[in-house]
Amino acid sequence: MARYPFRSDLKAPARLNLPDFSNPKLAFAVRVLVKKLLIQTRDFTPPPGVCLRLIEVPAWDGAQIECLVLEPADESAPLPGMLYCHGGGFFLPLQPMMLQLASRYAAALQMRVFLPEYRLLPEAPAPAAFEDCLAVWRGMTAQADALGLDAGCLLLYGESAGGALAAGLAQRLCAEEGPRPAGQLLIYPVLDDRCGRYPSMERYADAAWPRHSNEYMWREYLRELPEAGAPLVPMRAAPADLARLPAAYIEPQEIDTLRDEAAAYAEALRDAGTTVEVNEVPGSYHGFDADTENPFVQAVVGRRICAMRAMLDNINEGARI
């Protein structure tokens, strides 16, 4: 990856090669990795002023979904909320860097951030992860008072594979009756299973998120569906289905296989009349924000927070009219 012009003030990226999870020889190593990540997230200590709790939400099929909540300490009043759909290629659980980011969002915006441990590949292909996240959203809105949420001020956030979940949820929720998200934030999002449509997929084929990993992820995620479509594959939505979506902040990374599909989705949303802010981060790569203490990363995260604040302010302004 040395040939790519990454920013010099960022750590050198690691290539995120997904192993063949169906290979029995790798099964034990994968279980160990997942267990390690689960332990790390449960042992996470939030910064001062933020607290962490674990709740369970009934799933669509009667199971229980564990969900971590990061929120301002000693705050019982109804607050804005955000459903944070984590990345990991639909294979990996929550990781500490995601909790670090969520802690900053919770503190900066005085909001409650919900991070579901949705079910993962290879055991649970689509639509399991999507339906689990949808169930958490429905729990957030139905139990808003008990959870200390303002049901009219809720955001969707997704990074990488979580971007597909968040974008798809926005499509689904805006096509039906019920509380609608105030905005959607899509960070280096996965949006389209048709990888060959985008020049960046070839140009950066062996960058931090390699093309072969992206193709393998989609193949496994959609393996039990006779036909791929929206909202599981957000880019496959018909233009008319994008017309009522909430404002979007879309953040492609310049040196990423997924860059061009993020730009294409932003253009499709704009064509449908949706307000879109695109922030293509120069010299950055897929997962660059794992280095949460880096000043450049913190500046980018600050811009995300500004976008969130604007979305919530628009809702509040509309309520006053």
Side-chain angles (χ1 to χ4, degrees), residues 99-147:
L99 301 184
Q100 291 167 356
L101 290 171
S103 296
R104 181 164 181 196
Y105 302 147
L109 294 160
Q110 290 295 286
M111 66 160 43
R112 307 188 198 279
V113 183
F114 291 70
L115 300 98
E117 283 282 20
Y118 55 80
R119 277 168 280 190
L120 300 169
L121 293 171
E123 289 81 7
F130 181 86
E131 293 293 344
D132 284 354
C133 291
L134 179 61
V136 173
W137 172 272
R138 298 206 192 287
M140 291 168 63
T141 55
Q143 302 296 323
D145 290 344
L147 294 170

Side-chain angles (χ1 to χ4, degrees), residues 21 61 64 83 96 112 124 126 136-137 142 145 163 173 201 217 241 246:
F21 284 82
D61 60 355
Q64 293 292 314
L83 177 62
R112 307 188 198 279
V136 173
W137 172 272
D145 290 344
L173 294 169
M201 192 64 64
M217 174 199 69
D241 295 334

